[in-house]
Amino acid sequence: MTRDPRQAPPPSTGRPAGPPRPGPHRGAQPPRDAAAHGPYDALVVAGGGARRLGGADKPGLTVGGRTLLDRVLGACPDAVTTVVVGPRRPTSRPVRWTREQPRGGGPLPALEAGLRALGEQPGTGPGTDSGTVLVLSADLPFLRGETVRALLRAVREDPAADGTAAGDGDTPVEGAVLHDGRDQPLAAAYRTEPLRRELALLRTEHGGLTGMPLRLLLPDLRLRRVPVPAGAADTLDCDTWEDLAAARRRIREHGTVLDEWMAAAQAELGIELDVDTTALLDLARDAAHGVARPAAPLTTFLVGYAAAQRGGTPEDVAEAVRAATRLAERWSAETDPL
């Protein structure tokens, strides 16, 4: 397929173009069930040659107005430390960068480099290892935060709790992988030390990791498989221009487009807020029908401003919506015959 240059942003310069935009992690609260999965680090594999994309900067391609990399980073905003293995590029939140050796050596050298970076602070010295590392590919545009949390919980749950863990039921689980008919080692959470162990053993057995297939990583790890729900697209990746076009069509489907737009807008504005979209749309409808069509966007803007002045919580938004709705109802009622 011939590459359409309109599908990709300008080529990366290899370094962020100024400070990254503030992301939803700044000033945001951790997910409500963060305590259930405990602290973790994130390792995102964002290198590779993207040969089927003609060598394009795949993590920098956009779906729903956000780069593939930023969409993946948005699924794990509460990671203690996030390392991205690949060329430097602008991101929506701070990350630590590293490169695999040799460059282009494949996913196993990338994992090794990422784990090494997690074990070090910038410069020299020991790092702060959380004990669990979330490993993700940078081209998963529909990976959800709830799926990430399911993986993290699965690593910490009692291994005898269900039948999805391999090996002895009394043996601690060493990892949890998304399973969509196949195990997905780059959509997984691992105990950090067993992952280091397997990479070291593979390096010793094969004399190196360069070019080795990723599937060699899993057989000797005690894993729990987390099934992808029917209809979900958490493991849908973008390896070709056709894949990218399909992802862009999917994000605009009628049933989900508003949710996707709200998530993208919040990420762009650097906020994180539970929004009652239905209530806001009802308010916009009432303002448009009862006052004038241009009143709809103006009213919702004022509601947002008022909520921010009051503190910006979901309750502040809800109260501002209720107040504006009451006003719109009173305004409309005056058009009724006396």
Side-chain angles (χ1 to χ4, degrees):
M1 177 179 179
T2 302
R3 173 183 167 186
D4 181 351
R6 293 172 297 176
Q7 291 182 299
S12 170
T13 62
R15 61 183 179 182
R21 291 189 182 111
H25 68 293
R26 295 189 179 179
Q29 296 298 315
R32 292 186 182 90
D33 53 353
H37 61 63
Y40 69 98
D41 297 313
L43 192 168
V44 182
V45 178
R51 288 184 294 274
R52 287 188 281 174
L53 287 166
D57 176 23
K58 179 162 69 167
L61 298 176
T62 61
V63 171
R66 301 164 66 196
T67 67
L68 293 175
L69 177 56
D70 276 345
R71 293 184 70 86
V72 170
L73 293 175
C76 53
D78 55 339
V80 175
T81 302
T82 299
V83 167
V84 179
V85 185
R88 291 168 61 88
R89 55 176 60 81
T91 55
S92 60
R93 65 178 179 86
V95 300
R96 189 180 300 173
W97 296 94
T98 192
R99 294 299 303 268
E100 73 277 17
Q101 296 298 331
R103 295 190 179 186
L108 293 182
L111 291 179
E112 185 178 57
L115 289 174
R116 187 181 304 114
L118 284 173
E120 300 173 351
Q121 295 290 358
T124 59
T128 54
D129 191 339
S130 70
T132 300
V133 58
L134 177 72
V135 173
L136 301 172
S137 172
D139 65 341
L140 300 173
F142 299 107
L143 181 68
R144 298 167 298 159
E146 63 195 80
T147 301
V148 165
R149 294 189 287 274
L151 286 168
L152 294 167
R153 288 193 301 268
V155 174
R156 289 176 166 81
E157 287 175 352
D158 178 1
D162 58 39
T164 62
D168 187 341
D170 295 326
T171 304
V173 169
E174 295 176 329
V177 295
L178 279 186
H179 186 79
D180 59 1
R182 297 184 303 168
D183 290 338
Q184 299 293 335
L186 295 184
Y190 302 95
R191 293 287 188 179
T192 307
E193 286 311 311
L195 186 59
R196 294 184 196 274
R197 177 197 72 210
E198 289 305 306
L199 289 169
L201 288 172
L202 288 171
R203 173 175 284 282
T204 299
E205 292 168 9
H206 298 279
L209 299 175
T210 302
M212 301 300 294
L214 188 59
R215 65 176 181 274
L216 295 179
L217 181 67
L218 299 185
D220 292 324
L221 286 168
R222 293 183 294 274
L223 299 174
R224 170 172 278 120
R225 290 170 176 84
V226 177
V228 176
D234 294 277
T235 56
L236 189 152
D237 57 11
C238 293
D239 288 331
T240 67
W241 292 113
E242 289 85 355
D243 293 340
L244 183 69
R248 289 174 169 177
R249 288 193 300 270
R250 183 184 181 98
I251 209 167
R252 286 164 172 77
E253 291 177 354
H254 178 71
T256 58
V257 65
L258 287 180
D259 290 337
E260 291 286 358
W261 170 252
M262 293 294 287
Q266 289 196 48
E268 189 74 10
L269 296 171
I271 59 175
E272 185 173 11
L273 185 68
D274 290 330
V275 177
D276 187 341
T277 305
T278 300
L280 279 174
L281 291 175
D282 287 345
L283 169 61
R285 178 202 61 206
D286 292 343
H289 292 172
V291 184
R293 289 176 67 94
L298 295 173
T299 304
T300 52
F301 166 78
L302 291 174
V303 162
Y305 189 85
Q309 292 289 93
R310 295 173 182 174
T313 68
E315 292 74 20
D316 294 326
V317 175
E319 176 54 37
V321 168
R322 287 192 291 268
T325 298
R326 291 192 295 268
L327 173 62
E329 290 171 348
R330 295 196 304 270
W331 185 290
S332 178
E334 291 180 4
T335 64
D336 296 334
L338 293 176

